[in-house]
Amino acid sequence: MIRNNKGVWMQYNYFPGRLRFRDPVLRDGDIRKAALDAVSILCPQAEISYKESTASILAVYPADSVNVEELKKLVPYLLKIEPKIRFYTPKKKGDVLAGIEEIKTAINRMMKA
């Protein structure tokens, strides 16, 4: 968990077959859609839901359909975008969306390899 500028914790949870991340930035419809798209590219068979009250995305998928080693390759991209999210203001929306696009591009490259 990471504390953002509003005193709220950014949270990522991973267990085989289950991925959840929550942050108030997901309440922005464009950012949420981009994040949901990235998750659906990563695991097309996932059941993905969004819960407004907690600003969280949950993906439940067959545990053997996603390689943990492949997920680890995304960490540098997540670390790159994290400061933009942690100190998010609407002025940074374009940067956040660009970071998510970079993650989607990396996922697409992984899927083709």
Side-chain angles (χ1 to χ4, degrees), residues 20-106:
R20 178 186 300 274
F21 53 103
R22 67 178 67 160
D23 190 274
V25 74
L26 293 172
R27 288 195 170 106
D28 178 289
D30 296 330
I31 292 172
R32 179 176 58 251
K33 182 183 179 324
L36 289 168
D37 289 347
V39 174
S40 66
I41 293 168
L42 182 63
C43 187
Q45 60 271 55
E47 291 181 32
I48 304 168
S49 60
Y50 171 71
K51 188 171 182 181
E52 178 67 26
S53 63
T54 59
S56 66
I57 292 174
L58 172 65
V60 178
Y61 55 91
D64 61 351
S65 66
V66 175
N67 181 335
V68 177
E69 293 305 314
E70 294 296 315
L71 284 178
K72 289 179 183 179
K73 293 177 185 178
L74 298 175
V75 170
Y77 298 98
L78 294 169
L79 291 174
K80 185 177 176 183
I81 195 174
E82 186 178 46
K84 297 170 185 149
I85 293 171
R86 187 179 330 149
F87 301 107
Y88 181 75
T89 65
K91 292 180 183 178
K92 295 181 183 178
K93 182 175 181 172
D95 292 338
V96 171
L97 290 171
I100 295 171
E101 282 303 314
E102 194 173 351
I103 291 169
K104 288 166 57 176
T105 298

